[in-house]
Amino acid sequence: MMKIYQCNREQGVVLIVALIMVLIMAMAGMAAIRGSGLQEMMAGSMRDLNVRFQTAEAGLRYAESHVDFYVPFSQLPNFTANTSGFYQNLNLTGGTRSPVSTWTNDNWTTASWAAVASPAGWPADVANTRYVIEEVIIPVSLEAASTGSCLDQSCLDALEEGRVFRVSSYHTGNGASTNVFVQSLYKH
């Protein structure tokens, strides 16, 4: 009969390699968990910003409909009386207020500066939406030049002065990074 000899020279190399592989897999799993958490936070921030933008745009549309509601010009608010939210062009020098684009959060939330867009049936979150409507006076000659509609002085004399409104809306979110400002020009 033949004798079989076994070699017992194993020194645990397989165990060490297996432990290193488990460690590498654990690190990869931790990185994946950390990455998915970060992606979830970014998606939440993007959703919050999108909701704030839509709310500011709803305030903008509300303000535009407010101007459109007063169909006869005689029923529009007096833009020179500094009624809250209704001003003449604030970009002109010498005005009582600075241009809307330079306003801070404090300016927007001051009750005497901006009107609040809070129609019935809107969610309570919309109460943070403010708007300003500015009457922008456009000289007849500039309006005619922009459309190419007049060639002589008699044509310019027959034109009415344009009524253009710059409507601005501002919505403050829960955090400092979710404040949204939108603007549009509205011709009545």
Side-chain angles (χ1 to χ4, degrees), residues 77-88 96-97 112 135:
N78 185 357
F79 286 89
T80 59
N82 288 334
T83 306
S84 177
F86 296 92
Y87 302 104
Q88 280 196 333
T96 57
R97 307 228 190 266
S112 63
E135 181 181 30

Side-chain angles (χ1 to χ4, degrees), residues 140-141 143-159:
V140 173
S141 59
E143 187 172 359
S146 69
T147 61
S149 59
C150 284
L151 298 174
D152 58 4
Q153 187 63 38
S154 62
C155 178
L156 288 175
D157 292 338
L159 286 178

